[in-house]
Amino acid sequence: MSTKVVDDYAGAQDNLQKAVSKPHVTMKRPGSGGPLIDLISAFYIFAIANVLAALYSPIQDCDEVFNFWEPTHYLNRKYGLQTWEYSPEYSIRSWLYIVIHAIVGKLGSLFSTKKSFEFYFIRIILGLTCSFCQSRLFATISKVLNPRIGNWFMLVMLFSPGMFHASAAYLPSSFSMYTTMLGMTSFMDWRGGSKTHIGIMWFGIGAIIGWPFSAALIGPFLAEELILASITRDVEIVRRLVDGIVRSGIVLALQVAVDAFFYHKLVLVPWKIISYNIFSDAGRGPEIFGTEPFDFYIRNLMLNFNVWFILALFAGPLLVLQYVLKLESSTGFTLMRNAFLVSPFYMWLAIFSAQAHKEERFMYPAYPFLGLNAAIALHYLLAYVGNANPGKLLDKIPAKLKFIVVLTSVVLAIDIGILRTLGVVSAYRAPLQIYAALQQSDIARAGNIICLGKEWHRFPSSYFLPKDMHAKFIRSDFNGLLPGEFNEAKVGFGLFAGTWLIPPGMNDQNLADPGKYNKKLPQPQLSINPFEWAEIEGQLHSRSKIMPQESHPFVIGHLKAVLYAFLVFSLSIWLIIRIYKRFSRENPTRSGTRNLEKPTPWKSAELKVTGRPLGLWKPVSFHPPPPKPYPNWDIHNTLPLPYRPFRYAPYHITMGLRAMKWDDWIELDSHYLKFHAEKARRIQERGLKCCRTAPEAFDGAVELLEELCDYLPYRYPSLYRKNLDGMDNLVTGESFNILERPLVEDPMQMAARMVQDDLAIMFEKPDGQYYLLAGSILLAGFWRLEDKWRMPLSEIHTTGDVPGFKQKLEKGMMNLFRRLQPNSPVLRNNYFIQVDDNLAWSDSIGPEDNDHIGWNTAAKNKTIENHWFRSERQSLRRLPRSGGVVFTIRTYFHPMIEIAQQPYVPGRLASAIRSWGDDVARYKGREKYQDVLLEYLDARHQEQLDAGLDVSREDEDRSYPY
């Protein structure tokens, strides 16, 4: 078993395929070693760890208490301690962040009047919020990069002391960490189109409501987007950027409004924070609160992430090494994408290591990047270790021994993380326990005060004091500025007067204010440890009377039983879901093709075509890799893939390209014999009207035959067998001799008999246009080869009245054809509605041989049984010898009443049809069928909703174009 786990990493590099599934079917990926952990299960796993952190993690930073817990206590309990940051004179803390948590606390107080319950309730919600963000990022990493990288990322997040502290901390840096994870999810996942605007929004929310400096983490992502937009001439990038900025601006406006309410003046808090920390004069700024050496974060991250931190540091060098050695990408991304993906962690670490003032919480926003870098590095190492190569010294080591070494390192990292976490909890949790004794009636009463001395910074907040008990300070060795108290005035000052009345003695230079000390003690100069004495009703009580209780303040009495019951219930639900999915799982179909950002492993300089003369192609030496056999392919039982390439509104006119994996060039299924027979009939009946090759394109058409004969026998060995002259069809008995001259039939006609696709080859001429000079268009449904023969690419589309071609498609399409290289094939999908059941030619738009055809001849509002869904999967690749661009068009044709039974389909298709613009609606003939079809789809969608369909889970159950 151990050997298999290591060796299986050798095939892990092709795990870039998207998880494509039929509804409610969990897919396996080639080489993934098992099904992905679904989003809900991942959430449960993260939630267990983060709820434990919420209950037991010590408060790491006094800023968390005095800058966040105390203001929240003031809003909900009408009193609390106030730092200088909340003085209206300085106002460098936003009340919006506090209000959000105060609302959560108020909800918690509905279940218990104990203040400590409210404290832990807020913490648990923070932990669950972190779990949601972690599970979303985990799912994206698993789907977009590799399931194993996702699994390693999960381990880093679960067993690192750093995440134990950060996950439930009430700190803006933790909040920014949450939004960073959601922003990463948006920028990493390009499936279904770029989500730049969503990513900008999440990073913007983190910077505005949380910590402004976290906005720096978006830099590499935006740089990547802008570079790609400049390369592809994607003008839509401007719209997405503006969209994201506007969304962030709305959040900023909300923050300004909330802060204006509390401060009674207009304040731009993010700028205030940046200004104080970067542009302060001497004697001000973060350095007055302490400085640390350059290596502080290295030492800190070693403690909090141990082995994972080392791996994170090596992620970049390993990716460069991978590129230099010409190894296949461990993530499936290009070197540029990988560089942008791993660079934020290095950038963040460098920026903050260069600052004199350092605090552990400053690293929180970069923790997800650290985890991702570590996961990528470990995945690369395992792939390298498991990649058998007899010529390498490393591969002479037994696989089991290599696996033991790697596994030992991982287990060591987990063990160190767990032990440090337990050590911190057991050694530093006293501040959260010691105040529990004050709840005893014989020690404390309402209205008492408790005095804090030199270790005032360990005070866990007023949430741990009895009702109406105030915390005050006595003189100690500390000579900086202590917190004051929010003004508790109620009459004549309106709501929350303490937020806008200027408190006395505040300054931004950390200068001590004598007015902050309690003057009731007879010896004001006495240095007292807060855990040795407490002044209650004017008497000093020794520590022995206020020793911490054994029980946790949140889980005392019946609350402990409730918590255990909740955990058991949650685990039971999770187990039931897993068992249900295991037994309801069907045999998966082949997963889909790569996204456009995925790389190809061939980087030969001879494939570059920049600067060549128009119309001239220099043959290049390139051969696609032999495809792997289609898993369990059977001519009778392998069903057509369920392409459903429509999206919810709004509708956008784009080419919709994505990269093609070589294995997936030609798709054959159980409809092969039906398609083959229909093609043979039409070849016999229509001949040159459907299949022809121009003399100057003959070499390209023969090259296509050679490519098919090299591909099909490897991919579908039960259907085709290669021979010396070409190949044999083992089912139909046909033999294709592609070497004899003359060929027995037109080469495009011969190619048509081999596959279910329609085929076309475009060749560039000296005018720079690509012309249709070879084709077999037999099953197109709505267009005829004879109408487009020898036309340039632009004219083919303009004569077909393709919507938005001139305005939105022509330039990009011409650039694509010009730049397309033999090693970078692409895919796209589209769809139509047809109101007859004729696969080859849609009679509803008129007889095939009529001069004038169009939707105007179609009957209107036929019964739903006459509505068919027509989907096309199109691939484009350049032939390396002739330079022709091969266009394959595979049609999938199904009754509408059949596809409308599938979950999510009727609602999504109805939304898509309604979102078409007038030009698209005319092109697709919507007027002829919309009344009947939309009524039917709406009814089926409502039936699915009534049956319990949860549309919010659609992205987990399917992905475009399925």
Side-chain angles (χ1 to χ4, degrees):
M1 184 65 180
S2 299
T3 304
K4 182 184 184 303
V5 172
V6 173
D7 290 342
D8 193 36
Y9 264 88
Q13 311 305 326
D14 60 357
N15 287 338
L16 308 168
Q17 299 170 328
K18 290 184 285 186
V20 178
S21 62
K22 295 181 180 179
H24 308 302
V25 178
T26 301
M27 298 303 299
K28 289 187 178 181
R29 300 183 179 209
S32 68
L36 291 170
I37 300 174
D38 61 85
L39 185 63
I40 298 300
S41 300
F43 174 79
Y44 275 119
I45 294 170
F46 284 121
I48 292 172
N50 293 340
V51 168
L52 289 174
L55 294 177
Y56 294 102
S57 175
I59 295 178
Q60 294 279 91
D61 196 315
C62 67
D63 264 13
E64 181 177 353
V65 172
F66 296 106
N67 274 327
F68 307 106
W69 285 113
E70 286 298 310
T72 306
H73 188 274
Y74 169 72
L75 293 186
N76 286 352
R77 304 287 174 163
K78 310 307 180 189
Y79 69 94
L81 298 172
Q82 180 183 23
T83 64
W84 68 270
E85 288 100 322
Y86 285 92
S87 171
E89 289 182 284
Y90 306 105
S91 53
I92 66 169
R93 296 291 181 185
S94 174
W95 281 101
L96 177 58
Y97 181 62
I98 303 299
V99 166
I100 294 171
H101 295 77
I103 292 172
V104 173
K106 271 296 183 184
L107 293 175
S109 66
L110 298 176
F111 302 99
S112 174
T113 59
K114 292 184 177 181
K115 294 198 294 181
S116 59
F117 182 95
E118 183 178 324
F119 175 92
Y120 283 104
F121 185 82
I122 293 174
R123 267 194 155 197
I124 288 175
I125 296 302
L126 289 172
L128 294 178
T129 302
C130 184
S131 303
F132 170 80
C133 299
Q134 288 173 310
S135 57
R136 295 293 301 182
L137 182 54
F138 161 80
T140 297
I141 292 171
S142 298
K143 291 178 181 179
V144 176
L145 297 181
N146 190 290
R148 285 192 179 87
I149 296 177
N151 292 340
W152 296 129
F153 173 80
M154 175 179 281
L155 285 181
V156 178
M157 294 291 101
L158 290 175
F159 296 109
S160 298
M163 280 305 301
F164 183 78
H165 303 316
S167 60
Y170 185 4
L171 288 167
S173 50
S174 282
F175 181 84
S176 296
M177 179 183 72
Y178 305 159
T179 57
T180 291
M181 287 188 273
L182 297 177
M184 291 171 66
T185 298
S186 301
F187 277 111
M188 289 172 60
D189 188 1
W190 285 356
R191 296 169 303 153
S194 176
K195 303 176 182 67
T196 312
H197 55 300
I198 305 296
I200 292 174
M201 179 192 71
W202 284 121
F203 277 103
I205 290 174
I208 294 167
I209 300 179
W211 196 30
F213 298 103
S214 66
L217 289 167
I218 200 177
F221 290 117
L222 285 182
E224 178 189 28
E225 294 277 343
L226 293 172
I227 290 172
L228 289 176
S230 67
I231 294 174
T232 60
R233 290 179 170 81
D234 178 17
V235 296
E236 283 292 305
I237 185 67
V238 177
R239 181 193 61 79
R240 295 196 298 271
L241 290 174
V242 172
D243 189 353
I245 293 171
V246 169
R247 293 173 188 233
S248 301
I250 292 172
V251 176
L252 181 60
L254 174 64
Q255 183 188 60
V256 170
V258 171
D259 288 334
F261 171 80
F262 284 101
Y263 284 124
H264 282 207
K265 65 178 183 179
L266 289 177
V267 179
L268 195 62
V269 170
W271 168 247
K272 285 266 193 174
I273 295 173
I274 294 171
S275 177
Y276 179 79
N277 284 276
I278 297 179
F279 305 111
S280 291
D281 300 330
R284 292 179 173 83
E287 288 79 8
I288 65 175
F289 299 101
T291 60
E292 298 291 343
F294 180 84
D295 63 346
F296 171 84
Y297 288 124
I298 295 176
R299 291 181 284 114
N300 179 266
L301 292 174
M302 278 297 297
L303 285 173
N304 283 326
F305 289 91
N306 55 77
V307 175
W308 305 119
F309 172 57
I310 298 173
L311 285 169
L313 290 178
F314 278 94
L318 287 174
L319 290 173
V320 173
L321 181 64
Q322 190 177 61
Y323 177 78
V324 171
L325 297 179
K326 294 182 170 54
L327 301 175
E328 194 168 356
S329 171
S330 59
T331 64
F333 286 165
T334 61
L335 178 65
M336 185 181 75
R337 265 226 100 178
N338 282 328
F340 284 121
L341 197 60
V342 302
S343 62
F345 173 67
Y346 298 111
M347 179 191 70
W348 191 263
L349 182 61
I351 290 173
F352 283 90
S353 293
Q355 308 305 310
H357 180 65
K358 299 178 177 68
E359 297 192 40
E360 180 177 314
R361 70 178 188 272
F362 294 171
M363 282 292 112
Y364 288 2
Y367 280 179
F369 287 104
L370 187 156
L372 177 60
N373 281 24
I376 290 174
L378 182 58
H379 177 68
Y380 170 79
L381 290 175
L382 286 171
Y384 182 76
V385 167
N387 188 13
N389 187 336
K392 295 181 180 178
L393 179 62
L394 180 63
D395 293 295
K396 300 183 183 298
I397 303 174
K400 288 185 177 180
L401 180 59
K402 292 187 290 186
F403 176 74
I404 290 173
V405 172
V406 175
L407 182 61
T408 301
S409 301
V410 173
V411 172
L412 179 64
I414 294 173
D415 287 347
I416 293 175
I418 292 174
L419 290 174
R420 174 163 173 80
T421 299
L422 293 175
V424 169
V425 169
S426 62
Y428 294 96
R429 198 165 157 269
L432 294 177
Q433 296 175 298
I434 197 168
Y435 292 90
L438 297 179
Q439 307 299 327
Q440 301 174 32
S441 59
D442 61 331
I443 293 182
R445 297 174 186 172
N448 291 159
I449 62 171
I450 183 166
C451 291
L452 310 175
K454 68 178 181 179
E455 294 195 10
W456 58 272
H457 54 277
R458 300 189 188 278
F459 177 58
S461 83
S462 298
Y463 277 103
F464 289 86
L465 301 181
K467 182 180 179 181
D468 295 329
M469 176 180 279
H470 289 56
K472 295 185 181 293
F473 302 96
I474 57 175
R475 287 190 180 276
S476 67
D477 295 340
F478 179 73
N479 59 358
L481 180 64
L482 289 166
E485 294 183 80
F486 283 103
N487 195 308
E488 298 174 27
K490 298 178 182 178
V491 180
F493 293 96
L495 293 173
F496 307 113
T499 65
W500 64 269
L501 292 174
I502 298 177
M506 293 297 187
N507 63 80
D508 62 353
Q509 297 174 290
N510 199 26
L511 300 176
D513 172 33
K516 300 294 189 297
Y517 299 114
N518 179 29
K519 299 179 175 58
K520 292 184 179 181
L521 286 179
Q523 301 179 28
Q525 301 300 323
L526 183 64
S527 177
I528 300 178
N529 188 312
F531 299 129
E532 297 295 336
W533 303 94
E535 183 201 16
I536 302 173
E537 286 192 323
Q539 297 181 357
L540 296 179
H541 292 260
S542 70
R543 183 184 178 193
S544 60
K545 290 190 177 182
I546 56 172
M547 285 296 292
Q549 303 292 308
E550 291 297 325
S551 60
H552 192 288
F554 183 77
V555 291
I556 57 175
H558 296 297
L559 289 177
K560 180 181 287 189
V562 172
L563 178 61
Y564 288 161
F566 172 78
L567 291 175
V568 171
F569 174 78
S570 300
L571 290 173
S572 300
I573 294 297
W574 174 77
L575 184 61
I576 291 170
I577 292 172
R578 296 296 295 167
I579 293 174
Y580 170 78
K581 289 190 174 184
R582 174 67 66 180
F583 285 98
S584 65
R585 188 171 298 148
E586 302 175 14
N587 291 328
T589 60
R590 173 174 56 75
S591 59
T593 55
R594 299 184 190 182
N595 290 331
L596 188 56
E597 72 269 18
K598 303 298 196 273
T600 51
W602 303 276
K603 298 178 173 62
S604 173
E606 65 182 346
L607 296 180
K608 296 181 180 179
V609 297
T610 304
R612 63 176 174 82
L614 296 177
L616 179 64
W617 174 261
K618 180 181 178 181
V620 296
S621 177
F622 170 78
H623 301 283
K628 298 174 184 175
Y630 193 116
N632 304 315
W633 189 84
D634 185 90
I635 198 170
H636 301 295
N637 299 318
T638 300
L639 298 177
L641 293 178
Y643 289 110
R644 308 291 181 260
F646 41 85
R647 295 185 172 96
Y648 290 103
Y651 182 88
H652 298 291
I653 298 177
T654 65
M655 287 191 289
L657 298 174
R658 62 189 189 278
M660 185 189 81
K661 192 173 185 294
W662 283 107
D663 286 356
D664 303 337
W665 179 35
I666 301 295
E667 293 181 346
L668 305 180
D669 52 47
S670 56
H671 289 184
Y672 172 82
L673 292 177
K674 172 187 173 182
F675 278 56
H676 185 274
E678 181 68 0
K679 283 188 170 188
R681 180 186 67 81
R682 288 177 61 77
I683 288 172
Q684 183 176 1
E685 293 177 359
R686 303 189 63 81
L688 289 177
K689 291 183 177 182
C690 294
C691 300
R692 65 169 66 179
T693 304
E696 64 267 36
F698 182 83
D699 180 65
V702 171
E703 186 181 5
L704 173 60
L705 287 175
E706 295 169 0
E707 294 288 341
L708 289 171
C709 288
D710 285 338
Y711 174 93
L712 293 170
Y714 286 98
R715 187 61 170 164
Y716 304 99
S718 62
L719 177 61
Y720 287 109
R721 181 178 61 204
K722 192 171 178 60
N723 59 38
L724 296 176
D725 301 319
M727 66 180 181
D728 299 319
N729 188 316
L730 302 178
V731 174
T732 65
E734 296 167 295
S735 183
F736 300 101
N737 187 331
I738 65 173
L739 299 182
E740 65 179 352
R741 296 292 184 272
L743 293 174
V744 296
E745 59 181 338
D746 182 280
M748 296 303 294
Q749 192 168 291
M750 183 181 293
R753 300 180 191 274
M754 298 177 177
V755 296
Q756 292 174 244
D757 305 64
D758 282 336
L759 303 165
I761 310 180
M762 313 287 292
F763 291 87
E764 187 184 57
K765 289 190 175 183
D767 61 359
Q769 286 276 1
Y770 279 79
Y771 289 78
L772 177 56
L773 301 180
S776 56
I777 308 300
L778 296 158
L779 308 174
F782 293 101
W783 67 283
R784 303 171 294 203
L785 177 63
E786 57 186 323
D787 294 334
K788 311 296 182 182
W789 180 245
R790 288 189 175 275
M791 275 189 182
L793 182 66
S794 296
E795 190 177 347
I796 288 174
H797 288 83
T798 54
T799 56
D801 294 324
V802 175
F805 177 75
K806 280 291 183 181
Q807 300 86 352
K808 298 184 178 181
L809 300 178
E810 184 177 33
K811 184 177 180 180
M813 191 175 296
M814 294 303 297
N815 286 334
L816 169 69
F817 273 66
R818 173 69 179 168
R819 298 176 179 179
L820 189 65
Q821 300 183 28
N823 65 340
S824 49
V826 295
L827 290 171
R828 67 181 301 270
N829 290 77
N830 63 17
Y831 66 97
F832 299 91
I833 308 300
Q834 191 169 317
V835 289
D836 59 72
D837 61 355
N838 194 332
L839 169 65
W841 178 258
S842 178
D843 292 322
S844 58
I845 66 170
E848 189 172 4
D849 290 316
N850 273 14
D851 291 335
H852 302 289
I853 55 175
W855 277 104
N856 58 303
T857 64
K860 188 173 182 179
N861 291 330
K862 286 183 166 182
T863 62
I864 193 62
E865 289 75 17
N866 292 292
H867 289 63
W868 285 66
F869 179 73
R870 186 183 193 97
S871 173
E872 292 180 350
R873 173 193 181 269
Q874 303 169 356
S875 76
L876 287 88
R877 56 169 293 195
R878 189 182 291 278
L879 298 171
R881 187 175 72 237
S882 65
V885 176
V886 176
F887 198 76
T888 70
I889 311 164
R890 170 61 206 280
T891 299
Y892 294 81
F893 197 54
H894 303 281
M896 186 61 68
I897 57 176
E898 174 186 308
I899 73 161
Q901 306 307 313
Q902 298 166 0
Y904 309 111
V905 165
R908 193 169 81 252
L909 180 55
S911 174
I913 293 173
R914 288 188 172 99
S915 72
W916 295 344
D918 293 339
D919 53 349
V920 177
R922 285 193 301 271
Y923 180 69
K924 293 179 180 279
R926 184 175 67 185
E927 179 190 5
K928 300 297 183 179
Y929 51 77
Q930 63 180 348
D931 296 336
V932 171
L933 179 58
L934 291 176
E935 180 183 6
Y936 177 79
L937 293 175
D938 290 343
R940 299 291 79 75
H941 178 60
Q942 189 59 50
E943 288 176 2
Q944 293 182 0
L945 294 178
D946 294 340
L949 182 70
D950 183 2
V951 293
S952 66
R953 289 183 52 86
E954 183 171 354
D955 286 340
E956 286 115 61
D957 292 339
R958 59 163 291 276
S959 60
Y960 184 87
Y962 297 87

